[in-house]
Amino acid sequence: MSLPLYYYLLGTPLGVLGLVRWSCWLVRRVPAVLYRPIENQHRASVSVVVPVYQEDPAVFTAAIESWLDNDVHEVILVIDASDTTCRQIATRYPVTVLVTEVPGKRDALRRGWNAATGDLVALVDSDTIWAPDVAEQVCKPFADPRMGGVGTRQSVYGSSGFLARITDMFLDHRYFDENASQSLLGQAVSCLSGRTAVYRRELLLQVEHEFMHETFLGVPCLSGDDKRLTTLILERGHKTFMQRSAEVWSTFPDHWRIFIRQRLRWARNTWRSDLRALSRRWVWRHPFLAYTMIDKAVSSFTLLLGLAFMIASIVERQWVFVIVLALWWQISRSAKLLPHLRRRPSSFFYIPGYIAISWLMAVIKIHALATIRQQRWLTRQVAVENGTVVRTNNEPEEIPA
């Protein structure tokens, strides 16, 4: 069969790139398979600190009850002054309520950990529901005095639509691949997700000033609090670890507009944090961590080359290549998502959607890089204007439970 010249010009580099990308994945996957949660009898007092802003009442109620069921030292809710519904819900439970009129999540976190009295502080989102043994599990890694922060495993709560299923696949890929390998090799996880991240309180007090006054290219940073805290802990020579035996459930968007805005915010935070980290000496003391940061940045661009080749094949009506490439994507992504498919075999039929969303996220990441200086929450009434965190006039967009 005679092939057009562009197939050789594009197909050969694409094949080589595919081998390189698979090799990069195997570098992560092998240690990820060897990862195990830390097991011991270590316990410490845990204070739960939760910034609360216009949360869904039913989810918020379930979340409070799940934290209290963990027999934690205390639960501190830092509730925005505009949120009268959640303040009323909080009065039903033995929790501490701090009402704040200062916009933004960072100040709420700071107020919470300053009021906390436990040895460990769990920074938790108000829509996050804990398994009954989360407090017990997250304490175990802190038996190591060098451990500064511990993350949990997330799953999707309260939704079964298309975006929820795809998000669940991405989450399992993260916790059974990237975070697992980072935890094993150097115990340096790049980001302890803000859904639930546990830190030594004394370290939070030490990094408070830098956390509250973070800027990027001269603009005060509004979001990205979880990446910033993780980085500050690692910069000081402490470890970060993902305790996968501690499972939590959170709500995620099932509306496209909110999904895209959320991913755009996350992508900007990742670019800012990783580009800053790669320019500093401390990250190179964690070679595997630096490697994963570079690999993630490069993949945002290489992922779209396969799509370009597929489009070219369709335009030229080379249907054999279209079918072969589609089958290869189905098989290869299934291999990479094997831990998730063991838990939810039906997700095999969502692989094409997963691939399409991966392309969309690659475009979002490139757009985020081009607009990296913009500081706006996008799904809440908070933004940075003239160098100051302010409330905006737009109505907050509800994140469905």
Side-chain angles (χ1 to χ4, degrees):
M1 180 172 62
S2 178
L3 297 176
L5 178 61
Y6 75 85
Y7 271 96
Y8 296 100
L9 297 177
L10 179 61
T12 301
L14 188 65
V16 173
L17 179 62
L19 289 174
V20 172
R21 295 304 304 157
W22 266 87
S23 299
C24 292
W25 175 73
L26 286 173
V27 170
R28 297 196 315 271
R29 187 60 195 149
V30 172
V33 171
L34 300 176
Y35 161 88
R36 295 293 182 274
I38 293 175
E39 291 295 335
N40 55 44
Q41 300 301 316
H42 182 75
R43 287 302 302 267
S45 56
V46 179
S47 296
V48 176
V49 170
V50 188
V52 184
Y53 178 81
Q54 305 292 340
E55 191 54 76
D56 178 274
V59 175
F60 185 49
T61 299
I64 293 176
E65 293 175 356
S66 74
W67 308 325
L68 293 174
D69 287 344
N70 269 260
D71 193 28
V72 294
H73 179 64
E74 61 188 344
V75 175
I76 301 173
L77 307 177
V78 187
I79 306 180
D80 190 90
S82 64
D83 195 344
T84 56
T85 301
C86 287
R87 287 163 60 185
Q88 184 177 16
I89 292 173
T91 61
R92 307 172 193 166
Y93 299 96
V95 299
T96 300
V97 175
L98 304 178
V99 179
T100 177
E101 295 185 357
V102 179
K105 184 178 178 181
R106 293 200 183 204
D107 186 75
L109 292 171
R110 178 192 65 82
R111 289 171 184 262
W113 74 53
N114 274 280
T117 58
D119 297 325
L120 305 177
V121 175
L123 304 179
V124 186
D125 279 358
S126 55
D127 65 342
T128 300
I129 296 172
W130 284 11
D133 62 345
V134 168
E136 175 186 346
Q137 293 296 328
V138 296
C139 287
K140 295 178 179 180
F142 287 101
D144 183 348
R146 296 171 298 171
M147 187 64 65
V150 172
T152 56
R153 174 191 169 187
Q154 299 175 46
S155 296
V156 176
Y157 174 81
S159 181
S160 57
F162 173 76
L163 283 178
R165 289 296 298 265
I166 298 300
T167 299
D168 199 35
M169 296 166 75
F170 276 106
L171 287 174
D172 273 357
H173 184 262
R174 176 182 181 184
Y175 292 110
F176 284 88
D177 191 309
E178 179 182 338
N179 282 11
S181 57
Q182 289 176 343
S183 293
L184 183 77
L185 296 181
Q187 295 192 345
V189 176
S190 59
C191 178
L192 301 177
S193 171
R195 302 288 184 172
T196 294
V198 186
Y199 299 92
R200 295 187 188 275
R201 180 174 180 271
E202 59 188 274
L203 295 182
L204 292 175
L205 296 175
Q206 291 176 20
V207 304
E208 181 176 305
H209 180 79
E210 291 177 77
F211 174 69
M212 293 301 299
H213 295 88
E214 180 192 9
T215 62
F216 187 85
L217 298 179
V219 180
C221 292
L222 172 63
S223 57
D225 46 275
D226 47 5
K227 285 281 285 186
R228 183 56 175 164
L229 281 175
T230 308
T231 297
L232 290 172
I233 296 299
L234 289 169
E235 278 184 347
R236 283 159 173 75
H238 299 281
K239 298 178 180 180
T240 56
F241 188 82
M242 185 265 298
Q243 183 76 336
R244 202 164 62 201
S245 55
E247 186 169 9
V248 305
W249 293 266
S250 299
T251 61
F252 287 85
D254 54 9
H255 292 180
W256 283 97
R257 184 183 181 189
I258 304 174
F259 174 85
I260 291 172
R261 288 186 170 194
Q262 184 185 68
R263 294 288 171 168
L264 178 59
R265 185 180 78 243
W266 288 354
R268 285 177 181 149
N269 295 335
T270 298
W271 281 117
R272 294 178 191 125
S273 178
D274 289 357
L275 290 175
R276 182 194 290 117
L278 290 169
S279 68
R280 307 286 174 83
R281 289 184 178 181
W282 70 266
V283 77
W284 301 103
R285 295 195 295 269
H286 303 280
F288 187 76
L289 175 61
Y291 161 78
T292 55
M293 288 181 177
I294 295 172
D295 180 60
K296 181 182 290 187
V298 171
S299 68
S300 303
F301 299 91
T302 59
L303 190 61
L304 295 176
L305 294 179
L307 174 61
F309 187 68
M310 170 65 88
I311 292 173
S313 299
I314 293 174
V315 170
E316 293 294 325
R317 299 184 180 182
Q318 297 291 336
W319 304 118
V320 172
F321 284 92
V322 171
I323 294 171
V324 169
L325 192 54
L327 289 175
W328 168 245
W329 284 339
Q330 181 76 21
I331 295 170
S332 62
R333 294 305 188 277
S334 296
K336 293 182 178 181
L337 289 167
L338 192 57
H340 174 81
L341 293 176
R342 288 197 186 104
R343 181 171 69 87
R344 303 187 74 174
S346 62
S347 291
F348 177 80
F349 300 102
Y350 284 84
I351 295 293
Y354 176 87
I355 295 170
I357 297 298
S358 297
W359 292 331
L360 172 63
M361 289 173 59
V363 173
I364 290 173
K365 289 177 182 178
I366 294 172
H367 174 66
L369 179 61
T371 58
I372 195 170
R373 293 187 76 246
Q374 291 187 19
Q375 291 285 348
R376 196 175 182 86
W377 197 274
L378 296 177
T379 55
R380 294 188 179 186
Q381 289 177 292
V382 186
V384 173
E385 296 179 1
N386 299 321
T388 304
V389 179
V390 298
R391 300 184 190 277
T392 62
N393 293 324
N394 297 326
E395 288 296 319
E397 298 194 47
E398 180 185 355
I399 298 180

